[in-house]
Each structure stands twice: as C-alpha cells, then as structure tokens.
Amino acid sequence: MFGTTQSSHENRQNNALIDSFGRKINYLRLSVTDRCDFRCVYCMAEDMTFLPRAQLCTLEELVHISQSFVALGIRKIRITGGEPLIRKNIQSLFQALGEIEDLEELAITTNGAHLIEHAQSLQAAGVKRINVSLDSLDSAQFTQLTRTGNLDNVLSGIDHVNKLGFAKIKLNAVVLKNRNVDQVIPLVRFAIDNGLDLSFIEEMPLGNISEHNRSEEFISSEALRELIQSQLSLLPSSESTGGPSRYWQVPHSNTKIGFISPHSENFCDACNRVRVSAEGKLLLCLGNEHAVDLKQIIRANPGQPEQVQQAIIKAMEIKPERHYFDNDDVQIVRFMNTTGG
C-alpha cells in the first residue's frame, strides 16, 4: 500500500537527534487520531469537537514521517490517539511501520476495547508492547470515569492479548484522590495475578475540564507508593522502558509498578521522546506549545524526505528543557486526546 520502505543504509544520518540540552531523542509517540469511543473525565470534555477527518495526516503521510524519524535515530515508535484502533485501515499502518528497517520497537497505547478484534494483526505486524488504560476494576466506577466504556470488554481484551504472548503488556491508571483511589490495591493485585506491569499516572493539566477540580483530585506518586506499601512490598528497580515511569518491583512476582510523576517527581532531565499529533504537528514537549507542522512540509515537498528530516533536526533547537505543570493554572488548552496519549 505504501510502496518500498526507506533503507537506513541510504538515508541514515551521521548524528542522532540531540536537543540543545544534550538529550538523545530516540522515541516517537505517533498519534493517528484525536477521536475516541471513551470520554475519560481527565482526558477530554464530555461534549468534544474533534478535528475534521480531512485535517488529519493520511496513513501514508504517517509512514513517511515515521521513516524520516527512524532515519534520524528513532528506534521506538508508540502509536497513540485518541483511540488508535478506531482509525479506519489502521492495520495497514502497523504493517508498514513494522517493515521499516532499524525500527527496533513498535508499540501501542489503547483503551483496550478493540483488542480482541485487532490483537492478532498487531502481533503479525510486529507490535511487541501494549499499554492499556485501566483506571478501575469496579464496573460502575469504570463507566463513570470513562463516561461510555464497558469494563468487561476491556478485561476481555487484556486477557486475550495476554494469552497471545506479547512481549510486554502494561496497564496505565490515572488516579484521582476522591474518585478511584480505592482501586489502587485491586489494580496492583490484578496486575500481579495476571503477570502484567502497571503504571500509576498523576493527572496532567491539559485542557479545561469541568468534571472535577484538579487540585482537589491530585494525589502524588509518593502517596500512592505509601498506600501500596501498607499492604505489599515494593523494591526499587533500575529497569527502564524508555518512557517516564520510575519502576518498583513486586517481590516474588513478574510485576513491576511504575509511577509517572509530571508534578511531584519531574522526569524531564531524561526526556528521550517527541510526539507527532494526528494532524502532523511535531510536539517537542507534552507541557509546552512548541510545535512544527510536518504535514505542511510533506505536502509542500512531495517525494523529498530530506526536507522533513531537516525540519525535525532544526526542531531539536526549540525542544524545551522541561514542563511546568500547575493544576490551578491550565497553560495548555489542548486536551490529552489532541496531544496524543
């Protein structure tokens, strides 16, 4: 569908992507849609206005963008959304990305509701790692948090991919102090029982929401660790998956518990990633508006991947040192679904 893949032997740059703070960028989070069949309360408003489909990158453009990044040293691509598995013909994208030479890891973050339908195709395309958002094991609470989600569908999807033997399956849970903190221990025990990893995420202040007050719902990673350690042992782990999670090992199990702490334990000093939104904007930081329109460059320079690569290299100069999140002051008006998971 997308023609021949770009050969790294012909196109590899001599220098990896290095930003102005000396950080090596080797991880791309690529959003394929801002749409989702869930409406999670921390991610988007209940009544969302999504991008016109004509404004999104085509799948072919997403492949070209990915090829350019891999030629510049990106070794891991995670497909995100919105919910990526609702994008039409999404399997053709995974297949094309899986064929890119020198791409070492292809992964996906999903709400889990469509895994039974897509899991085998994802595996065949070379996807090794799957992250599933799961904020509660209580059915009524799960529906309240997602507004539209069905817990049984998600759990069935997790069970299905677990049995297929993907290299790594990880659960992601955003914890709100007055809404689902009671699910922390059940989620940890669920992860242990099923041999899964689990990351707890501090809510990120992206977009204006009316569902709750972010300051009142904030709970730190340290508080969650203390809660877990009141019932289970956790040992510090040096393992890293190339993302922002700081991991702890559950003794006598295969489960690691990660904590993503954009507020309380800033991780920007080791940032190795950039994002591309579904409309082709290269976002240099989750918590800043610095961006470069790669879609416009592709369309203005058809068949000239070097133009895209030069724009990516140049963009490293404006990648910020860090974000400055404040729950009381939303500086970033775009929602998380627009940013890309």
Side-chain angles (χ1 to χ4, degrees):
M1 175 179 178
F2 300 111
T4 57
T5 59
Q6 193 173 22
S7 170
S8 64
H9 297 296
E10 297 174 0
N11 297 288
R12 179 183 292 159
Q13 303 295 308
N14 291 327
N15 298 315
L17 290 176
I18 306 291
D19 71 8
S20 58
F21 302 96
R23 297 172 297 196
K24 182 178 179 180
I25 310 304
N26 56 17
Y27 179 11
L28 171 64
R29 298 179 68 98
L30 180 68
S31 176
V32 299
T33 181
D34 65 327
R35 296 170 186 264
C36 185
D37 47 339
F38 289 5
R39 297 288 186 274
C40 296
V41 297
Y42 52 79
C43 183
M44 63 178 82
E46 186 170 8
D47 183 20
M48 285 293 296
T49 300
F50 295 108
L51 293 169
R53 285 185 171 86
Q55 199 168 318
L56 302 181
C57 284
T58 66
L59 296 180
E60 185 173 23
E61 287 168 340
L62 292 174
V63 173
H64 291 329
I65 288 171
S66 300
Q67 289 171 336
S68 290
F69 271 103
V70 174
L72 293 170
I74 290 292
R75 292 297 173 259
K76 175 179 179 179
I77 295 178
R78 178 174 296 280
I79 302 301
T80 70
E83 172 46 49
L85 294 180
I86 66 172
R87 172 93 190 237
K88 187 177 181 181
N89 297 325
I90 189 64
Q91 291 299 343
S92 61
L93 175 66
F94 280 103
Q95 183 177 354
L97 296 184
E99 294 172 355
I100 297 178
E101 190 175 355
D102 285 340
L103 179 62
E104 296 173 0
E105 184 175 324
L106 181 59
I108 181 174
T109 293
T110 173
N111 65 25
H114 307 274
L115 281 174
I116 290 179
E117 175 187 354
H118 291 279
Q120 289 183 309
S121 296
L122 291 173
Q123 194 171 49
V127 173
K128 299 291 195 302
R129 293 177 178 264
I130 297 178
N131 286 7
V132 183
S133 299
L134 182 65
D135 303 319
S136 177
L137 292 169
D138 178 277
S139 182
Q141 188 182 83
F142 181 87
T143 300
Q144 289 173 352
L145 290 169
T146 62
R147 295 194 180 105
T148 60
N150 182 291
L151 178 62
D152 288 339
N153 289 345
V154 175
L155 295 180
S156 295
I158 293 170
D159 181 64
H160 184 64
V161 294
N162 205 13
K163 289 177 178 175
L164 286 177
F166 282 82
K168 187 63 67 176
I169 302 167
K170 182 165 76 74
L171 309 177
N172 288 332
V174 175
V175 180
L176 306 178
K177 182 166 61 176
N178 299 303
R179 301 199 64 161
N180 65 331
V181 73
D182 64 311
Q183 291 298 296
V184 170
I185 298 299
L187 283 166
V188 171
R189 294 195 185 280
F190 177 82
I192 294 170
D193 290 344
N194 290 278
L196 310 175
D197 288 343
L198 168 63
S199 284
F200 290 107
I201 306 171
E202 294 177 350
E203 184 183 12
M204 301 181 192
L206 301 180
N208 289 299
I209 60 172
S210 58
E211 183 78 15
H212 58 267
N213 182 301
R214 282 178 166 141
S215 292
E216 293 176 358
E217 292 294 347
F218 174 75
I219 183 166
S220 70
S221 293
E222 182 179 9
L224 293 182
R225 280 195 297 273
E226 290 175 355
L227 173 60
I228 296 167
Q229 288 174 315
S230 70
Q231 298 192 37
L232 296 161
S233 295
L234 290 179
L235 300 175
S237 171
S238 60
E239 182 167 340
S240 172
T241 61
S245 276
R246 309 283 173 82
Y247 283 101
W248 296 64
Q249 181 72 44
V250 179
H252 312 298
S253 81
N254 294 321
T255 295
K256 292 183 297 298
I257 306 297
F259 298 90
I260 300 177
S261 318
H263 293 276
S264 63
E265 300 168 3
N266 186 279
F267 45 72
C268 296
D269 61 318
C271 183
N272 66 338
R273 69 205 69 87
V274 292
R275 287 172 163 81
V276 172
S277 73
E279 56 182 335
K281 291 184 178 179
L282 170 57
L283 303 172
L284 282 305
C285 175
L286 181 64
N288 289 276
E289 296 289 8
H290 303 69
V292 176
D293 192 341
L294 298 182
K295 181 182 69 177
Q296 187 277 329
I297 296 170
I298 286 177
R299 293 183 180 181
N301 302 276
Q304 300 181 57
E306 64 277 5
Q307 297 293 329
V308 179
Q309 293 173 22
Q310 289 171 11
I312 294 170
I313 294 170
K314 184 70 174 176
M316 294 302 105
E317 298 176 6
I318 62 170
K319 181 172 171 60
E321 182 178 12
R322 58 168 295 177
H323 62 253
Y324 294 90
F325 282 149
D326 182 351
N327 277 322
D328 294 316
D329 181 18
V330 177
Q331 296 118 341
I332 306 299
V333 296
R334 52 180 156 82
F335 286 99
M336 192 68 189
N337 68 298
T338 302
T339 302

